[in-house]
Amino acid sequence: MPDVLIMRHGEAAPGYPDQARQLTPHGEQEAEKMARWLTERVAEGELFMPRIYASPYARAQQTGQTLCDALGASLETLDFITPDDSPHAVSDWLLEQPEGAPIMLVSHMPLVGDLAGLLVEGSPAQGIGFPTAAIAELEADVWAAGCAQLKRFTQPSQLA
């Protein structure tokens, strides 16, 4: 199975409605920093070009588009990866995906933490805290509860 990369969007401004919240200038910088890092890894052959999916919320779309612009990829939207969606539904979707390129999901807390907890620990309650624009890289033979391993966790503050 391909790896799955789970990313939280960059820092967003407060606002209402939640779906319309935009990235702050700092959030844009976070997304750009992570996009440069991913681009370097793809160029060096360390990471295969991922298929990038984002939540329909504005801040996730902005973050995902920044990645796609840097990588020369296209962005697809998944309606079921918004903040309060079920990590089980995402896990079920992952099980249906064909072998091939890594999958990158750009989403929100608490879903990103709950999904990582479900896939690695077997329970969403064992979730991981995600700073903005952080990326968890998971690998698994099957995308079921407790079957994945966390290969790497990277956040913008760790990069130059």
Short mmCIF file of all heavy atoms in Angstrom, two decimals, residues 52-80:
data_model
loop_
_atom_site.label_atom_id
_atom_site.label_comp_id
_atom_site.label_asym_id
_atom_site.label_seq_id
_atom_site.Cartn_x
_atom_site.Cartn_y
_atom_site.Cartn_z
N ILE A 52 -3.02 14.56 -3.95
CA ILE A 52 -3.35 15.49 -2.88
C ILE A 52 -4.85 15.76 -2.84
O ILE A 52 -5.45 16.15 -3.84
CB ILE A 52 -2.56 16.81 -3.03
CG1 ILE A 52 -1.05 16.50 -3.05
CG2 ILE A 52 -2.90 17.79 -1.90
CD1 ILE A 52 -0.16 17.66 -3.36
N TYR A 53 -5.41 15.55 -1.66
CA TYR A 53 -6.83 15.76 -1.41
C TYR A 53 -6.97 16.75 -0.25
O TYR A 53 -6.21 16.68 0.72
CB TYR A 53 -7.52 14.46 -0.99
CG TYR A 53 -7.44 13.37 -2.02
CD1 TYR A 53 -6.38 12.47 -2.02
CD2 TYR A 53 -8.43 13.23 -2.98
CE1 TYR A 53 -6.31 11.45 -2.97
CE2 TYR A 53 -8.37 12.21 -3.93
CZ TYR A 53 -7.31 11.33 -3.92
OH TYR A 53 -7.24 10.33 -4.84
N ALA A 54 -7.95 17.65 -0.35
CA ALA A 54 -8.17 18.62 0.72
C ALA A 54 -9.65 18.69 1.08
O ALA A 54 -10.53 18.40 0.25
CB ALA A 54 -7.68 20.01 0.30
N SER A 55 -9.89 19.08 2.29
CA SER A 55 -11.24 19.40 2.75
C SER A 55 -11.77 20.56 1.91
O SER A 55 -11.00 21.37 1.39
CB SER A 55 -11.14 19.82 4.23
OG SER A 55 -12.12 20.74 4.59
N PRO A 56 -13.09 20.70 1.79
CA PRO A 56 -13.63 21.82 1.03
C PRO A 56 -13.51 23.17 1.76
O PRO A 56 -13.77 24.21 1.15
CB PRO A 56 -15.10 21.45 0.83
CG PRO A 56 -15.42 20.49 1.92
CD PRO A 56 -14.13 19.76 2.22
N TYR A 57 -13.11 23.17 3.02
CA TYR A 57 -12.99 24.43 3.77
C TYR A 57 -11.87 25.29 3.17
O TYR A 57 -10.84 24.76 2.73
CB TYR A 57 -12.71 24.17 5.23
CG TYR A 57 -13.88 23.63 6.03
CD1 TYR A 57 -14.96 22.98 5.42
CD2 TYR A 57 -13.90 23.75 7.40
CE1 TYR A 57 -16.02 22.49 6.16
CE2 TYR A 57 -14.96 23.27 8.16
CZ TYR A 57 -16.02 22.64 7.53
OH TYR A 57 -17.06 22.16 8.27
N ALA A 58 -12.06 26.60 3.17
CA ALA A 58 -11.14 27.52 2.50
C ALA A 58 -9.69 27.34 2.92
O ALA A 58 -8.78 27.28 2.08
CB ALA A 58 -11.58 28.97 2.73
N ARG A 59 -9.42 27.25 4.21
CA ARG A 59 -8.04 27.17 4.68
C ARG A 59 -7.34 25.88 4.24
O ARG A 59 -6.15 25.89 3.96
CB ARG A 59 -7.98 27.34 6.20
CG ARG A 59 -8.79 26.33 6.99
CD ARG A 59 -8.99 26.81 8.43
NE ARG A 59 -9.74 25.89 9.26
CZ ARG A 59 -11.07 25.85 9.34
NH1 ARG A 59 -11.80 26.67 8.61
NH2 ARG A 59 -11.67 25.01 10.16
N ALA A 60 -8.08 24.78 4.17
CA ALA A 60 -7.49 23.53 3.68
C ALA A 60 -7.28 23.60 2.17
O ALA A 60 -6.27 23.10 1.65
CB ALA A 60 -8.38 22.34 4.04
N GLN A 61 -8.22 24.22 1.45
CA GLN A 61 -8.05 24.39 0.00
C GLN A 61 -6.82 25.25 -0.29
O GLN A 61 -6.05 24.94 -1.20
CB GLN A 61 -9.31 25.03 -0.60
CG GLN A 61 -10.50 24.09 -0.64
CD GLN A 61 -10.39 23.08 -1.77
OE1 GLN A 61 -10.10 23.42 -2.91
NE2 GLN A 61 -10.63 21.82 -1.44
N GLN A 62 -6.65 26.34 0.47
CA GLN A 62 -5.49 27.21 0.26
C GLN A 62 -4.19 26.45 0.52
O GLN A 62 -3.23 26.55 -0.27
CB GLN A 62 -5.55 28.42 1.19
CG GLN A 62 -6.61 29.44 0.83
CD GLN A 62 -6.64 30.53 1.90
OE1 GLN A 62 -7.12 30.31 3.01
NE2 GLN A 62 -6.13 31.69 1.55
N THR A 63 -4.15 25.69 1.61
CA THR A 63 -2.95 24.92 1.95
C THR A 63 -2.68 23.88 0.87
O THR A 63 -1.56 23.75 0.37
CB THR A 63 -3.12 24.25 3.32
OG1 THR A 63 -3.37 25.25 4.32
CG2 THR A 63 -1.89 23.44 3.70
N GLY A 64 -3.72 23.14 0.48
CA GLY A 64 -3.56 22.11 -0.55
C GLY A 64 -3.12 22.69 -1.88
O GLY A 64 -2.27 22.10 -2.57
N GLN A 65 -3.67 23.85 -2.24
CA GLN A 65 -3.29 24.46 -3.52
C GLN A 65 -1.83 24.92 -3.49
O GLN A 65 -1.13 24.82 -4.51
CB GLN A 65 -4.22 25.64 -3.85
CG GLN A 65 -4.09 26.10 -5.28
CD GLN A 65 -4.39 24.99 -6.29
OE1 GLN A 65 -5.46 24.41 -6.28
NE2 GLN A 65 -3.42 24.69 -7.16
N THR A 66 -1.36 25.39 -2.35
CA THR A 66 0.05 25.78 -2.22
C THR A 66 0.95 24.57 -2.48
O THR A 66 1.95 24.67 -3.19
CB THR A 66 0.33 26.37 -0.82
OG1 THR A 66 -0.47 27.55 -0.67
CG2 THR A 66 1.79 26.72 -0.63
N LEU A 67 0.58 23.42 -1.92
CA LEU A 67 1.35 22.20 -2.15
C LEU A 67 1.32 21.82 -3.63
O LEU A 67 2.35 21.49 -4.22
CB LEU A 67 0.78 21.04 -1.32
CG LEU A 67 0.74 21.20 0.19
CD1 LEU A 67 0.08 19.98 0.81
CD2 LEU A 67 2.12 21.42 0.77
N CYS A 68 0.12 21.85 -4.21
CA CYS A 68 -0.04 21.46 -5.61
C CYS A 68 0.74 22.39 -6.54
O CYS A 68 1.36 21.92 -7.50
CB CYS A 68 -1.52 21.44 -5.99
SG CYS A 68 -2.38 20.04 -5.25
N ASP A 69 0.71 23.67 -6.27
CA ASP A 69 1.45 24.63 -7.10
C ASP A 69 2.95 24.32 -7.06
O ASP A 69 3.62 24.36 -8.09
CB ASP A 69 1.19 26.06 -6.64
CG ASP A 69 -0.22 26.54 -6.94
OD1 ASP A 69 -0.95 25.86 -7.70
OD2 ASP A 69 -0.61 27.59 -6.39
N ALA A 70 3.46 24.00 -5.89
CA ALA A 70 4.89 23.71 -5.75
C ALA A 70 5.27 22.38 -6.40
O ALA A 70 6.34 22.25 -6.99
CB ALA A 70 5.27 23.70 -4.27
N LEU A 71 4.38 21.40 -6.28
CA LEU A 71 4.68 20.06 -6.79
C LEU A 71 4.26 19.83 -8.24
O LEU A 71 4.61 18.82 -8.84
CB LEU A 71 3.98 19.01 -5.91
CG LEU A 71 4.53 18.84 -4.50
CD1 LEU A 71 3.54 18.11 -3.62
CD2 LEU A 71 5.87 18.10 -4.56
N GLY A 72 3.47 20.76 -8.79
CA GLY A 72 2.96 20.57 -10.14
C GLY A 72 1.90 19.49 -10.18
O GLY A 72 1.79 18.74 -11.15
N ALA A 73 1.12 19.40 -9.11
CA ALA A 73 0.07 18.39 -9.00
C ALA A 73 -1.30 19.07 -9.05
O ALA A 73 -1.40 20.30 -9.01
CB ALA A 73 0.21 17.63 -7.68
N SER A 74 -2.35 18.26 -9.13
CA SER A 74 -3.70 18.82 -9.10
C SER A 74 -4.35 18.48 -7.77
O SER A 74 -4.07 17.43 -7.17
CB SER A 74 -4.54 18.29 -10.26
OG SER A 74 -4.61 16.88 -10.20
N LEU A 75 -5.20 19.37 -7.31
CA LEU A 75 -5.87 19.23 -6.03
C LEU A 75 -7.26 18.65 -6.23
O LEU A 75 -8.01 19.10 -7.09
CB LEU A 75 -5.97 20.60 -5.34
CG LEU A 75 -6.61 20.61 -3.95
CD1 LEU A 75 -5.78 19.80 -2.96
CD2 LEU A 75 -6.75 22.05 -3.46
N GLU A 76 -7.58 17.65 -5.43
CA GLU A 76 -8.92 17.09 -5.42
C GLU A 76 -9.55 17.38 -4.06
O GLU A 76 -8.84 17.47 -3.05
CB GLU A 76 -8.88 15.59 -5.68
CG GLU A 76 -8.35 15.25 -7.07
CD GLU A 76 -8.38 13.77 -7.35
OE1 GLU A 76 -9.47 13.18 -7.25
OE2 GLU A 76 -7.31 13.22 -7.65
N THR A 77 -10.87 17.52 -4.04
CA THR A 77 -11.58 17.84 -2.81
C THR A 77 -12.35 16.62 -2.32
O THR A 77 -12.99 15.92 -3.11
CB THR A 77 -12.57 19.00 -3.05
OG1 THR A 77 -11.81 20.14 -3.48
CG2 THR A 77 -13.34 19.36 -1.79
N LEU A 78 -12.25 16.36 -1.02
CA LEU A 78 -13.02 15.29 -0.38
C LEU A 78 -13.94 15.93 0.65
O LEU A 78 -13.47 16.55 1.60
CB LEU A 78 -12.10 14.29 0.32
CG LEU A 78 -11.20 13.43 -0.55
CD1 LEU A 78 -10.34 12.52 0.31
CD2 LEU A 78 -12.02 12.60 -1.54
N ASP A 79 -15.23 15.77 0.46
CA ASP A 79 -16.22 16.40 1.34
C ASP A 79 -16.27 15.79 2.73
O ASP A 79 -16.84 16.38 3.64
CB ASP A 79 -17.61 16.33 0.71
CG ASP A 79 -17.71 17.22 -0.52
OD1 ASP A 79 -16.94 18.19 -0.63
OD2 ASP A 79 -18.58 16.94 -1.37
N PHE A 80 -15.67 14.60 2.93
CA PHE A 80 -15.79 13.92 4.22
C PHE A 80 -14.52 14.01 5.07
O PHE A 80 -14.30 13.18 5.96
CB PHE A 80 -16.20 12.45 4.01
CG PHE A 80 -15.26 11.68 3.13
CD1 PHE A 80 -14.16 11.02 3.66
CD2 PHE A 80 -15.47 11.63 1.76
CE1 PHE A 80 -13.29 10.32 2.85
CE2 PHE A 80 -14.62 10.92 0.94
CZ PHE A 80 -13.53 10.27 1.48
#
